Amino acid sequence: MTPFTRSVIKLIRLIPHGKVSTYGYIANMAGNRRAARQIARILHTCSRKQDLPWHRVVNREGRISLKPGMGFNQQKTLLQNEKVQVDETGRIDLEVFLWFPGTMND
DNA sequence: TTAGTGACAGGCA
DNA sequence: CTGCCTGCCACTA
């Protein structure tokens, strides 16, 4: 468990209900802006056991980066339960739902 | 050690 | 909107 991983975990837990963030932003906030893919891997490995809101992390296009049948449906459902609008293709309007640290918009 | 891969990002056509 | 390409980094065969 590297310090980078720990800060990533903390940051993700800060994402408020009803908002989303992106792999790139998380990586940037954690100190390594080129680590977007590592964020994905971290979530993939320890999301369940770390009790993380993994579903609040999408890619920079505001789209769910999971293949249908591989968690896509679950993530979409979890987000919709939080009133986040997700269309059938897994797309989300980042202009509305992207979380910016500091601006306690919720 | 090398090569392929992926829950990514950005630039460009 | 869709691809294609490059940079990135941990993991695996």
Side-chain angles (χ1 to χ4, degrees):
Chain A
M1 183 73 87
T2 70
F4 174 76
T5 300
R6 286 195 295 99
S7 58
V8 168
I9 302 291
K10 273 204 296 188
L11 286 167
I12 292 176
R13 302 195 64 165
L14 291 178
I15 305 175
H17 179 284
K19 291 287 179 179
V20 301
S21 188
T22 75
Y23 299 92
Y25 281 129
I26 296 295
N28 206 340
M29 290 185 277
N32 187 347
R33 90 188 166 84
R34 316 198 201 306
R37 305 181 84 150
Q38 277 59 269
I39 308 301
R41 194 172 47 75
I42 291 168
L43 293 184
H44 181 74
T45 58
C46 39
S47 61
R48 186 157 290 242
K49 139 174 119 166
Q50 293 291 330
D51 186 39
L52 298 174
W54 59 274
H55 55 282
R56 298 190 189 138
V57 185
V58 297
N59 66 24
R60 73 153 189 131
E61 300 176 340
R63 306 220 270 95
I64 293 176
S65 284
L66 294 176
K67 296 175 182 177
M70 292 289 293
F72 176 96
N73 201 280
Q74 184 184 13
Q75 181 167 10
K76 185 163 77 72
T77 300
L78 287 169
L79 287 172
Q80 291 175 333
N81 286 343
E82 300 188 352
K83 312 299 185 228
V84 175
Q85 295 173 10
V86 186
D87 68 24
E88 289 308 309
T89 69
R91 187 150 154 277
I92 298 165
D93 187 358
L94 292 182
E95 293 287 326
V96 177
F97 298 103
L98 180 61
W99 171 61
F100 290 98
T103 74
M104 285 302 181
N105 47 10
D106 188 31

